[in-house]
Amino acid sequence: DVQMTQSPSTLSAFVGGRVIITCRASQNINNYLAWYQQKPGKAPKLLIHKTSFLKSGVPSRFSGSGSGTEFTLAISSLQPDDFATYYCQQYNIYPLTFGGGTKVEMK
Amino acid sequence: QVQLQESGPGLVRPSETLSLTCSVSGVSVQAFYYNWVRQSADKGLEWIGRIDSSETIRYNPSLKSRITLSLDMSKNQVSLSLNYVTAADTAVYYCVRDWGSLAPLDIWGQGLLVTVSS
């Protein structure tokens, strides 16, 4: 299985701040990397697919980048609605696998 | 608007079979691909398997021996059975759509908490 490692597991930031979350795959996943946002008691929501493509309706303050095995999710100008847990996921190889999550907390 | 809704028992006894249904609305179940994903505090998000309208099925090897996936086009539903459950199978179970080969999980059901306990 492809192991997905996210860091950090938790981060604190101010409203208006910028955060970067890193996701590392244990092997090349050909950029088939997605990011999801999850709020307590809710299902994850797709934000970004194929490393950098925003799902329709996702604010442009979210961006994704990377290649091969190293990927990042950046959120510029954090809004109150952005405080949540973020997961990366590879869909290049079965079984599909997820990172352990990064909780973004308000400072 | 496409919606997925999981249903089934919230409590299953150890060694018994967990059976869940995902009702799909807003689109024919034949048009897309359907996954089951579960989430627990211990294991995080774990992909269980995927089925399409041709009944091509992909399984997580860690669960393959215990899983059955099926699709009922007449009811527009997808189903999951997981047998010989243990406490480690306690999780929120999600039905999730994808749009094809090498596609992300784009639409999620609200999830259903299933607890395995006697």
Side-chain angles (χ1 to χ4, degrees):
Chain A
D1 298 3
V2 179
Q3 305 301 315
M4 305 298 292
T5 304
Q6 274 183 249
S7 60
S9 56
T10 307
L11 67 85
S12 298
F14 291 106
V15 171
R18 176 181 172 87
V19 300
I20 295 177
I21 299 168
T22 298
C23 179
R24 178 178 291 114
S26 60
Q27 63 188 79
N28 182 10
I29 56 170
N30 295 309
N31 291 5
Y32 290 105
L33 188 283
W35 290 97
Y36 302 86
Q37 177 193 68
Q38 186 178 34
K39 296 183 178 179
K42 301 293 186 182
K45 289 184 178 179
L46 176 66
L47 296 176
I48 289 172
H49 63 98
K50 198 70 189 302
T51 297
S52 60
F53 291 86
L54 263 62
K55 181 177 179 179
S56 176
V58 173
S60 59
R61 62 181 180 272
F62 291 91
S63 64
S65 64
S67 66
T69 62
E70 298 277 341
F71 303 90
T72 60
L73 171 68
I75 313 173
S76 63
S77 190
L78 265 174
Q79 298 302 299
D81 191 50
D82 300 337
F83 292 97
T85 300
Y86 294 86
Y87 295 92
C88 62
Q89 178 237 335
Q90 67 81 21
Y91 53 99
N92 184 55
I93 298 171
Y94 287 108
L96 309 183
T97 48
F98 295 84
T102 296
K103 185 175 183 180
V104 178
E105 297 180 328
M106 191 179 299
K107 186 180 281 187
Chain B
Q1 181 181 359
V2 177
Q3 291 189 320
L4 309 177
Q5 178 71 58
E6 303 89 350
S7 60
L11 179 65
V12 181
R13 301 198 184 282
S15 80
E16 295 188 347
T17 297
L18 179 164
S19 296
L20 300 179
T21 297
C22 172
S23 297
V24 180
S25 59
V27 70
S28 168
V29 75
Q30 296 181 67
F32 293 94
Y33 305 79
Y34 295 89
N35 301 260
W36 289 93
V37 175
R38 67 182 184 180
Q39 185 173 30
S40 63
D42 288 348
K43 296 182 182 177
L45 288 162
E46 180 180 29
W47 177 79
I48 298 170
R50 179 185 192 255
I51 188 170
D52 65 26
S53 59
S54 65
E55 303 210 47
T56 299
I57 300 175
R58 297 274 194 174
Y59 294 110
N60 190 322
S62 67
L63 298 167
K64 182 177 181 179
S65 63
R66 298 195 291 133
I67 301 172
T68 301
L69 299 183
S70 62
L71 190 149
D72 187 331
M73 291 183 227
S74 67
K75 295 182 178 178
N76 225 41
Q77 290 178 337
V78 182
S79 296
L80 164 70
S81 292
L82 178 65
N83 57 26
Y84 304 111
V85 296
T86 70
D89 295 310
T90 293
V92 176
Y93 285 75
Y94 295 102
C95 175
V96 193
R97 189 195 81 169
D98 74 65
W99 62 66
S101 178
L102 294 172
L105 303 172
D106 73 326
I107 296 179
W108 295 62
Q110 66 181 27
L112 182 68
L113 174 62
V114 179
T115 301
V116 178
S117 175
S118 56

